[in-house]
């Protein structure tokens, strides 16, 4: 068991394993996202109040969930890197930061687009919106701090610390709709309760959420692979890989 | 740091803390502008708001908690950039890291004294500014009380950022990008506290929350700051 886990910490092992899994993961992601978006955007019934404008929910909710999950994952990876000094954990964390920032931005953007027809305003200083904006700035801070250091190791550790410190903001974002009763509606989904929406509406949302998590895994895996190649460029196995023809790579 | 020849510390912890305090105090006395400037900044920023918004006291009273808290936050931020920088450039921090005394101790003494001359003074003059902005005496009292734990948390979170960016040539702007998102919870609770008093709501729970944040900051931040300083030294 420990041996198996330790193998995962090796960039070479990760590179070879993920290379084998990636096509399957990518195919599954595409399939889930395609099913979810067609189901949600075309087939699902329009809302009785918001009509077709609520369909953006099928993009908005997954991106919002992802932006928070990715932050948590990034902080966990940073903790693993700072405690056990596993290089791969930092590569994962460094790749997650821009992805999370993109998701936070998309959640804000789709929220604004959704806000115009339903609330009549695209922005308001509501607790959830403001805390989401803060999350975006947290991501930008992590990215900026990593980039500011000349030495990669110092940048990696500094970014790890600030990612961990930023964790304190996560519960505030999560519970902002519960603690402050403002414009943003409460979460429409939870594991413990039966959803208030009919099944024809929440099932496609579930598919979209699963699909975007798959998308996250696929994309982070792909970007980590290139990060591995970039950082380990001097290693013998990477040089070998670069010289070998493409077909050998899959067989490795 | 525990090198073999330093198995026995030269001084006890208490002694070295006293020496560190003496040093920091002397530095503060000789560089008064260090802690007077943020204070003056705090007052000037608050004085700008009535000019920019309106001189109407009834309107200002609504915004006063937010204005004072944001000004305090900016004043703390302003003072942070030089918190460790001079010591870093002089090589003092390197000596701290190498010395047998724990780095956490030197860091704690420095940040605590910094907070006393910065956050506590802000809290002390905030009643005057609160009254000038039309707050009632009760609100002013709560405002000053909330600024004490609030600025404590701000100082320690900021010390983490200052320690992280100490070796960067232009850390100042980056520091504000890093710190302001982390300051948001304190700002929300602090300014909300005064608003709760104005509405006649029970404000003790929020005060207790700020106190809890203060205790958490004291328990965790010194070690994080020490780690951050060490990482700026070791990866030169």
């Amino acid at each position: 068991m420990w041996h198996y886990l330790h193998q995962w910490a090796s960039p070479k092992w990760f590179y070879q394993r993920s290379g084998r899994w990636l096509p399957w993961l990518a195919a599954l992601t595409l399939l889930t996202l395609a099913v979810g978006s067609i189901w949600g955007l075309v087939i699902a019934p329009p809302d009785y109040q918001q009509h077709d404008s609520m369909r953006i929910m099928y993009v908005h909710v997954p991106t919002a969930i992802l932006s928070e999950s990715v932050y948590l994952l990034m902080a966990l990876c940073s903790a693993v890197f700072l405690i056990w000094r596993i290089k791969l954990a930092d590569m994962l964390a460094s790749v997650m930061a821009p992805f999370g920032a993109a998701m936070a931005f998309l959640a804000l953007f789709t929220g604004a687009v959704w806000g115009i027809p339903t609330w009549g305003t695209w922005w308001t200083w509501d607790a959830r919106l403001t805390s989401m904006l803060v999350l975006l700035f947290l991501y930008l801070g992590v990215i900026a701090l990593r980039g500011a250091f000349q030495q990669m190791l110092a940048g990696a550790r500094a970014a790890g610390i600030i990612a961990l410190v930023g964790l304190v903001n996560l519960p505030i974002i999560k519970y902002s709709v519960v603690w402050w009763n403002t414009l943003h509606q409460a979460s429409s989904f939870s594991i413990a309760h039966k959803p208030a929406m009919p099944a024809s509406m929440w099932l496609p949302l579930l598919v979209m959420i699963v699909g975007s998590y798959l998308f996250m895994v696929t994309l982070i895996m792909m970007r980590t692979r290139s990060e591995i190649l970039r950082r380990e460029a001097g290693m013998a196995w990477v040089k070998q890989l670069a010289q070998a023809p493409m077909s050998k790579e899959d067989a490795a | 740091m525990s090198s073999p020849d330093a198995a026995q510390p030269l001084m006890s912890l208490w002694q070295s803390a006293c020496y560190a305090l003496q040093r920091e105090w002397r530095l503060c006395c000789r560089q008064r502008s260090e802690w007077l400037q943020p204070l003056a900044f705090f007052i000037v920023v608050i004085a700008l708001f009535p000019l920019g918004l309106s001189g109407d006291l009834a309107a200002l009273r609504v915004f006063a908690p937010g204005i004072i808290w944001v000004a305090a936050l900016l004043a703390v931020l302003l003072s942070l950039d030089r918190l460790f920088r001079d010591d870093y450039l002089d090589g003092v921090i390197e000596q701290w890291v190498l010395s047998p005394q724990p780095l956490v101790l030197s860091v704690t003494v420095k940040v605590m004294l910094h907070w006393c001359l910065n956050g506590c003074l802000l809290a002390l003059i905030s009643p005057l500014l609160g009254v000038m902005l039309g707050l009632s005496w009760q609100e002013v009292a709560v405002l000053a009380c909330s600024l004490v734990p609030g600025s404590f948390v701000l100082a320690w979170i900021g010390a983490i950022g200052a320690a992280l960016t100490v070796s960067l040539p232009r850390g100042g702007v980056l520091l504000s990008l890093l710190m302001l998102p982390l300051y948001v919870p304190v700002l929300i609770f602090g300014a909300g506290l005064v608003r709760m008093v104005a509405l006649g709501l029970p404000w003790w729970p929020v005060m207790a929350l700020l106190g809890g944040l203060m205790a958490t900051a004291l328990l965790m931040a010194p070690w994080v700051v020490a780690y951050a300083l060490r990482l700026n030294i070791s990866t030169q």
Side-chain angles (χ1 to χ4, degrees), chain A residues 214-227:
Chain A
L214 283 170
F215 174 63
M216 173 190 87
V217 175
T218 314
L219 200 78
I220 286 173
M221 217 175 232
M222 280 167 72
R223 295 208 52 207
T224 308
R225 280 164 64 81
S226 51
E227 185 75 10

Side-chain angles (χ1 to χ4, degrees), chain B residues 130-183:
Chain B
V131 172
M132 281 162 80
L133 289 179
L135 290 179
S136 74
W137 284 108
Q138 200 197 0
E139 288 163 350
V140 158
V142 174
L143 176 75
C145 290
S146 72
L147 270 172
V148 174
S151 63
F152 185 89
V153 179
L154 294 184
W156 271 111
I157 297 178
I160 296 176
L164 279 175
T165 54
V166 74
S167 68
L168 300 176
R170 279 177 302 279
V173 183
L174 180 61
L175 187 66
S176 43
L177 173 64
L178 284 178
M179 288 301 113
L180 288 176
L182 297 175
Y183 279 178

Side-chain angles (χ1 to χ4, degrees), chain A residues 3 12 23 33-34 59 68 70 73 110 116 120 123 142 144 146 153 157 170 198 205-206 208 232-233 249:
Chain A
H3 180 68
K12 185 185 173 188
L33 281 180
V59 185
E68 284 176 61
V70 169
L73 276 176
T110 53
I116 296 167
W123 180 262
V142 172
R146 182 186 288 276
L153 185 63
R157 287 193 184 154
L170 219 52
L205 183 58
L206 190 67
M208 279 304 276
E232 310 265 288
E249 186 198 348

